[in-house]
Every structure is written in C-alpha cells, then in structure tokens.
Amino acid sequence: MADLLFEIGIEELPAGFLQPALDQLRGDFCKKATEHRLEHGSVSVMGTPRRLSLIVQSLAESQPDGSETLMGPSKKAGFDEDGNPTRAALGFAGSKGVDVSELKVAQTEKGEYLMLVREIKGSATYDLLPDLLVDLLLGLSFPKSMKWGGNQNSFARPIQWLVALYDEKIVPFELEGIKSGRQSRGHRFLAPEAIDISTAADYEAQLDGASVIVDVKRRREMVITEIRQAVVDRSLPSGAEVAIDEGLVDTVCNLVEHPFGICGSFDSRFLELPDQVLITSMREHQKYFPVVDVNGDLMANFVAVNNTRVKDPDLTRAGHERVLRARLEDAFFFFSSDKQTSLGDRYDDLSGIIFQSRLGTMLEKSERIVKLSAILAEKFAPAEKELVSRAAKLCKIDLLTDMVGEFPSLQGEMGTAYAVHDNEPALVCEGIREHYLPKRAGAELPISVVGALVGLADRIDSIAGCFGIGQIPTGTADPFGLRRLSLAVIHILEKFDYSLSLSEIFHKALALYGDKVDGGSDTVESVTGFIRGRFINDEVGMGRDPEAVEAATAVDFDDINDCRKRVKALEQVRREDAFGVLAAAFKRIRNIIKDNRDRELQPGLFTETAEKELAGVYEQVAEKVAPLIEARNYSQALEEMLVLKAPVDSFFDSVMVMAEDEKVRQNRLNLLTGIGALFLEVGDISKMSTS
C-alpha cells in the first residue's frame, strides 16, 4: 500500500466555492474507489483559494483478483440431442475468447443454462489512477463554471498546475495542456517559487515552509488567533475584544492562504449609525470584524485579515481605514437621507415595487398583509390589534430606502431603526424586524406577538398567491422559497401555540387577491397538502415516530398544533402493552366496515353476549372520550379507548359480523364503525405497525 496525493492548482476561488468542492472531491473519490474495488485508509481533503487537495492513505497497490460469472444460452439451446455444441454455444464461447469445453451448466429458476466463470486479474492501481484522477477533476461542479481560453472543459477558475503522486512516483496524465507532476506553488507573495513535493506525507509540512497553511481547520484557528491578537496589539481599552462572526470566519479562512490580522479604527461619529448598519458595512463589502467593549457595545475599531505579512503595518492599516471610511460615509449619507421622510409618508410609493408580475405590487401585498394581520389579531390578540395593523402597514416600507437598496440584508432592521426615529410604538418597531424571522430553518423565531402575527400574515399571503397562480414547487425547484415559508408558519404557530384552521385562513387569504388567483377549494387543498408534507418531514426530522406522524396527519391536518398533540399522544399510547392487539383489531375493523359510515345502534338486535358487552363498553368509553377530545386531551382519550381491547377480542372470537340477517349484520357493522370512529378522532392507527 502507498499514499496518494492529488492537488489541483488554480487561480483564486471564490470563498463560497472552496468547502463544497473539497467535500465533493472526497465523496467522489470514495465512490470511485468502491467502483474500482480499491481498498484504502483514511481520505482527507485540504485546500486554499489556490488549491484543492486530496490525500488518501494506504491505497492498495492493485485491485484484488476476482472472478466473474457470465450467463449464456440455455443448455437445451446450446447442445443438440447427441450432446454436441450448437452454434449458440459455440458463438457464446467464441465471443468470450474461450473453448466451449470451459462452459459449465448452472441450475437457475428458469432451468439449466450455460455459464462461464473466469478469473479476473486485478489491475495495478498506478495504471488506474490517471483516468480516475482526470474523472475526479472533470466531475467537480461549482455554482458557476466557464471555459477558459481555448480549453474544452469548464471549471470555476483556470487550472494552473497539477500534482499527482502515488508514493514517490508521479501519476502521469495531461489535461488541457497541463501535465501532472510533483511541482506545487507556495504563497503567491511570500514564497512564489515552485516546490517539488516529495510524498503525500511531506505535503503539508512542505507547504507550511512556503507560507501556505493548507489544512482548512488549522487555518481557521489561525484566523481566530490573529484577529484576537490584533486587538491586543492595538492596546485598546481593557475588555475590548473582536466580535467573532462564525460565518465571516469561514469566509475569511477561504480567502487567504496564511492569515495576518491588523486592527484599525474609524471616526467615532459613525457610531451614530445602527449597529447592524456598521456591522453589515464592515462584513459584506470588506470582510472586516467589528470590535466591542466590555459591555458588548460597538467600538470605533475593526479587524481586517490580510493574506500576506506587511513591512509597514501602519501603512496597511491606513489603507483599510480609508476604504472603510468611504463605505461608512455612504452609509451615513443614506441613513441621514432616509430619515428625512417618515415610513408612513412613503407608504403609497410601494406601488412602484413589483411583488410578483401576476400578483401585483408591494403596495397591494401590504394592504393584504394588513387585512390578514387584523384577522389573526382579532383571533389571537385582540388587545394588540391596532399595533399589529400598524406594524403590518409599515413592515415593507424600508424596501424603498437607500440603505436597504445598498444592503438588502438589512430589510426589517432598517424598518425598525426608522420606525424608532419616527416615534412609532416600541412593539410596532420590534414587530417590523421580527416579521422576517425566522430567516432560515432553525433560526431565531419572533418573540413578540406583533412580530409573529405580521410574519404569519406575510408568509400566508405569499404562499396563497403563488399556489393561486400555479407556482407550486416541483422537485428541487422552489423559486419563491415556499418550503421555507411553510416551515416558518409551522414553527411560529408551534412557538405561540396558536390554534389556526389552515383551510379557513387560506380561503380568506386567496379571497383578498380577488380575480388574480384561483381561490377555489382545490387550491386550498393543494396548499394544506403542501404544508402537511413539510410538517411530516419536520416532525420526522426532529425524531418523532414516523408512523405516529402518518397516523395523525392521515385523518386530519387543518390545525397544526392540534395535529402535533395527536402525534405525541399516539407515540405515548404505542408504549402500552394493549396497543398492539388493539391496533391489529382496528385494522380488521377498517377492512370489515369498508365504506360504512352509519353508527346508529339498535340494542334490540344484539343477540350475542360478546356483542352486548362490547356495545356497553363502547357507549361508556364514548361518553368518557367525548369531553377529552373536546379538550384536546388526546393521551387520556387513548388511554380510555384501550379498555376496548378485551371486549373487541371477545367479539371477534365469538361473533360472526356478516350475519345472514341484514339488520343484524348492519347493526354489527354500525357498532364497529362507531369504535373505529373513536380512534379516528386521534389518528388512523392502522398506519402503525404492531410488531
């Protein structure tokens, strides 16, 4: 066995391209190694903006020897009555390059067939690697690729060199005029000379010596060390520290081959800007880290990460400060200019922004959000209806501001800042920001009722509109993010424990669009079915019993929190010993009653002791269960239903349901239908296995 090193040298990759490409490189190699029957040890990937590297330890020197079985014609077709080979047998043997005497007879399900078993000598790994590595390289996909110069193959950036070593030997191949070898490159500025890599084991150390930290994890740790040390070196007041944004650390790590931190400052007047404006100005354009004091408040300082060590830190610091100052001046101008006009006075200007070409403008959307928010507030928070309506009216107006035009990620944040400046009520101000929450799956949810209700109204309006014009997600295509919006609705309703009829609210949401959309029952059913799918995936993803989820959603999915309570109840009752027997009986009941819906019982038609006992227990259980179902105490309701186990067993053991007398038969079916309907108040337990 020997180690393999494969390095793809390229022009600087965008930061977001690096880690996905490394993950794909590792995964694709493992797949190809399995396909080629190549045993290997650990597989690791490393990379910088200028290289993608794969290291495979203990890669077998050859494929294992094996055998293959090739089936031919039937024995009857291969040999005549005298046992002589026919043209079919001779042709099969000849096509495989063997004599007919080497064929064997195999017994199969279809009878006796001719078979050839031949040994396969495993190929040497060194001979397989050239094609395998080329396939790996050409198989890499990026968010954006193109053909460079006269090249025939597309790639994210032009390829500059290729290193391919198996043990100490070069794996020879050529791609687009670039030949593989052992020559890598050091840091573009600190060590630009070529480096001859000895082996995979020496690779990381040799690049270290050339000022390239190729291990992503180690380079990331260095970034954090550097930005913290930069604050210390600047001798700022006690307690000052860099505010670490993990996402920005990842980005910066993938922008440099060797990090060097430097701390700068800016005019304290810029601290008048909202914190998120300052942070966004630093992060999005310049990739700078903010600095905070002991209380967590922003200071007039920042930390930049360079890709090279500088001789004159003061000169470099001044350069960073000059660039940031220009950004902050723009932000300061936008902020001051935006405040000249209140949010309320801009409302009608939303008519100039298109929400969706077939669904109208943002002004029309805002008007619908106001109405939907009022409906929701009337139901869940009547005392705050006025605040909810005001927040709904103002929530989209910051889209008109220069600041959001420059930094779209500040939607909501700027609306809140400007609402504060306009002296809007505190809950209205916070609701504007919170209505965008959660921004992604698993992210922060709204805290205030105002933010939650406006957020629900906004998302319900978008989902209804898109479904109303047939813009339904298919496969991986979801241009309007309806899956994300549906999950947000699910999680907001869960957090605030709101009991909301989906069919009712979507009927109202569609009605607000008028004739722009198809607002019929089929559309509402399509919407609720879509949200049901997201709910099932979400619940199962969080560890819920998949069969309990399916059982609960199969009978009713209109109130998300009610459905969740039924899921939990079904999970709990499944642990009871009696559940397995009762679930099996319920499946039998469902099969017997088929489409019968009649539950009216005539006691005088009960003749068997077992059916009389079952009818009596059923009536008692039904009486106890009704108020529990009404109170949504589903766990207790199911516990009461378990009492039916013994009489149901006895009934099936001694009573013939399909009696000859039509009235007796119907009465028994009605009894079973009533028992089945009890369980269907919670879930279709026939969906749950009894093993």
Side-chain angles (χ1 to χ4, degrees):
M1 294 195 173
D3 296 341
L4 169 69
L5 167 65
F6 182 38
E7 181 190 62
I8 306 168
I10 45 184
E11 295 292 345
E12 278 80 354
L13 277 175
F17 287 19
L18 182 59
Q19 194 57 51
L22 293 177
D23 292 341
Q24 185 185 350
L25 188 60
R26 179 197 287 112
D28 287 357
F29 173 81
C30 291
K31 290 179 183 176
K32 290 187 178 297
T34 300
E35 292 170 1
H36 287 80
R37 299 182 294 116
L38 292 175
E39 296 181 359
H40 58 82
S42 66
V43 179
S44 59
V45 287
M46 301 181 182
T48 73
R50 297 181 69 209
R51 69 201 76 227
L52 302 169
S53 307
L54 171 76
I55 296 178
V56 183
Q57 294 183 344
S58 303
L59 179 61
E61 294 184 356
S62 67
Q63 297 172 317
D65 295 337
S67 62
E68 65 175 346
T69 301
L70 304 172
M71 300 304 295
S74 66
K75 180 183 178 182
K76 184 177 181 180
F79 292 94
D80 60 22
E81 294 178 356
D82 298 326
N84 298 314
T86 65
R87 292 179 62 183
L90 293 170
F92 174 64
S95 68
K96 307 306 177 187
V98 299
D99 187 79
V100 73
S101 62
E102 296 183 44
L103 300 181
K104 298 180 181 180
V105 177
Q107 184 66 46
T108 72
E109 294 179 356
K110 297 181 180 180
E112 294 183 318
Y113 276 75
L114 300 183
M115 173 181 70
L116 173 65
V117 179
R118 61 184 180 187
E119 299 300 316
I120 301 176
K121 179 70 175 175
S123 300
T125 299
Y126 187 73
D127 296 333
L128 296 171
L129 282 174
D131 288 339
L132 188 153
L133 295 182
V134 170
D135 287 346
L136 278 181
L137 190 156
L138 296 180
L140 290 175
S141 58
F142 301 91
K144 186 176 182 180
S145 297
M146 63 182 294
K147 295 179 181 178
W148 302 90
N151 293 347
Q152 298 301 307
N153 299 293
S154 61
F155 210 70
R157 290 292 185 271
I159 298 172
Q160 297 295 324
W161 73 89
L162 295 166
V163 175
L165 299 176
Y166 184 55
D167 198 8
E168 297 180 353
K169 296 188 295 183
I170 294 173
V171 179
F173 64 90
E174 183 175 345
L175 182 69
E176 307 283 16
I178 300 174
K179 294 182 178 180
S180 61
R182 64 173 68 252
Q183 201 169 81
S184 182
R185 312 276 176 86
H187 192 283
R188 186 183 290 277
F189 307 113
L190 300 177
E193 302 82 10
I195 313 164
D196 284 341
I197 304 298
S198 304
T199 64
D202 300 323
Y203 175 68
E204 187 175 355
Q206 285 188 268
L207 286 184
D208 271 8
S211 296
V212 174
I213 312 302
V214 71
D215 185 308
V216 177
K217 184 177 180 180
R218 189 159 67 92
R219 191 169 66 253
R220 190 182 193 281
E221 292 171 351
M222 288 181 65
V223 168
I224 294 174
T225 300
E226 281 289 317
I227 59 179
R228 285 175 171 162
Q229 187 60 44
V231 173
V232 173
D233 293 344
R234 191 63 174 154
S235 300
L236 297 179
S238 176
E241 61 179 2
V242 65
I244 295 179
D245 179 320
E246 297 295 339
L248 183 56
V249 171
D250 290 336
T251 298
V252 169
C253 173
N254 293 338
L255 287 173
V256 300
E257 293 200 308
H258 198 304
F260 298 93
I262 190 164
C263 182
S265 60
F266 53 84
D267 194 319
S268 60
R269 70 186 176 91
F270 292 125
L271 292 175
E272 296 176 25
L273 290 167
D275 286 358
Q276 282 301 317
V277 173
L278 277 171
I279 293 170
T280 303
S281 296
M282 288 187 254
R283 181 185 61 214
E284 291 197 2
H285 287 305
Q286 306 309 132
K287 306 300 184 286
Y288 294 167
F289 294 87
V291 178
V292 296
D293 62 20
V294 68
N295 297 316
D297 296 325
L298 287 177
M299 299 177 63
N301 298 95
F302 66 91
V303 177
V305 177
N306 294 330
N307 188 36
T308 183
R309 184 184 295 108
V310 295
K311 294 181 179 179
D312 187 348
D314 290 336
L315 182 63
T316 302
R317 182 180 296 109
H320 285 300
E321 291 173 347
R322 183 173 61 254
V323 173
L324 181 60
R325 182 168 58 250
R327 293 290 184 191
L328 295 183
E329 288 284 7
D330 288 344
F332 200 82
F333 173 78
F334 293 147
F335 187 58
S336 300
S337 175
D338 286 339
K339 289 190 296 183
Q340 300 303 310
T341 306
S342 71
L343 290 179
D345 289 343
R346 295 175 182 264
Y347 183 67
D348 291 339
D349 294 339
L350 285 171
S351 61
I353 302 177
I354 299 297
F355 164 51
Q356 201 277 342
S357 59
R358 294 167 61 187
L359 298 178
T361 67
M362 287 303 300
L363 178 60
E364 292 172 295
K365 178 175 177 62
S366 294
E367 290 171 345
R368 292 192 302 271
I369 294 175
V370 170
K371 293 174 182 177
L372 275 176
S373 296
I375 292 171
L376 293 170
E378 189 68 41
K379 181 176 179 62
F380 300 118
E384 296 178 319
K385 181 178 177 180
E386 186 176 340
L387 295 173
V388 170
S389 296
R390 183 62 178 171
K393 182 174 182 178
L394 301 180
C395 69
K396 300 299 183 184
I397 297 177
D398 65 356
L399 297 174
L400 296 163
T401 63
D402 292 335
M403 187 67 79
V404 172
E406 179 72 9
F407 298 111
S409 64
L410 290 178
Q411 294 174 38
E413 297 287 350
M414 296 317 303
T416 293
Y418 296 138
V420 170
H421 177 265
D422 296 342
N423 295 315
E424 295 286 348
L427 285 175
V428 170
C429 298
E430 191 59 21
I432 293 172
R433 183 187 73 84
E434 287 192 340
H435 97 280
Y436 281 108
L437 305 179
K439 294 185 177 181
R440 65 191 70 85
E444 175 191 4
L445 290 165
I447 295 175
S448 72
V449 169
V450 174
L453 295 181
V454 176
L456 283 172
D458 181 19
R459 292 170 175 87
I460 289 169
D461 173 76
S462 294
I463 296 169
C466 289
F467 271 80
I469 59 172
Q471 292 288 346
I472 302 172
T474 56
T476 58
D478 187 9
F480 296 99
L482 300 187
R483 293 186 179 93
R484 174 177 52 82
L485 297 183
S486 297
L487 282 174
V489 169
I490 290 169
H491 292 151
I492 292 172
L493 289 174
E494 177 185 15
K495 176 174 180 177
F496 287 85
D497 196 24
Y498 288 151
S499 177
L500 179 68
S501 168
L502 294 180
S503 58
E504 180 182 333
I505 195 65
F506 277 103
H507 266 299
K508 292 177 179 178
L510 288 163
L512 291 174
Y513 276 98
D515 58 5
K516 282 187 170 70
V517 303
D518 177 359
S521 297
D522 287 346
T523 301
V524 173
E525 187 176 334
S526 181
V527 172
T528 55
F530 178 77
I531 297 176
R532 174 181 178 270
R534 308 285 72 72
F535 175 83
I536 291 173
N537 291 340
D538 192 52
E539 289 289 293
V540 173
M542 291 190 297
R544 292 283 179 208
D545 181 343
E547 292 184 351
V549 175
E550 181 64 22
T553 56
V555 298
D556 181 49
F557 184 77
D558 189 51
D559 183 330
I560 288 172
N561 285 319
D562 178 71
C563 191
R564 185 177 285 107
K565 289 176 182 178
R566 290 186 284 111
V567 170
K568 293 178 181 179
L570 289 165
E571 279 187 322
Q572 182 176 330
V573 78
R574 191 174 198 171
R575 305 186 189 104
E576 299 290 339
D577 294 337
F579 176 77
V581 176
L582 197 60
F586 178 77
K587 291 180 183 180
R588 187 173 177 182
I589 290 172
R590 293 296 301 275
N591 291 332
I592 292 173
I593 63 176
K594 298 188 184 309
D595 296 326
N596 185 60
R597 294 291 180 266
D598 191 355
R599 286 182 268 171
E600 183 179 350
L601 300 180
Q602 298 184 43
L605 293 176
F606 291 132
T607 58
E608 302 285 344
T609 301
E611 64 180 329
K612 291 178 181 178
E613 291 179 353
L614 178 58
V617 174
Y618 160 65
E619 289 179 355
Q620 293 174 10
V621 170
E623 187 176 348
K624 291 181 180 179
V625 163
L628 295 173
I629 295 293
E630 182 69 23
R632 299 190 177 188
N633 188 348
Y634 298 115
S635 294
Q636 185 61 43
L638 287 171
E639 289 288 339
E640 294 291 344
M641 294 181 205
L642 291 179
V643 176
L644 289 163
K645 170 187 172 293
V648 166
D649 284 349
S650 178
F651 176 85
F652 281 127
D653 286 343
S654 58
V655 177
M656 174 65 70
V657 178
M658 296 303 179
E660 292 185 9
D661 187 309
E662 183 180 348
K663 292 183 178 180
V664 171
R665 180 172 66 248
Q666 186 62 49
N667 203 44
R668 290 172 180 173
L669 286 173
N670 291 356
L671 173 60
L672 295 179
T673 300
I675 294 171
L678 273 183
F679 285 95
L680 290 175
E681 293 280 357
V682 183
D684 182 356
I685 61 175
S686 68
K687 305 286 186 184
M688 302 171 71
S689 60
T690 56
S691 58

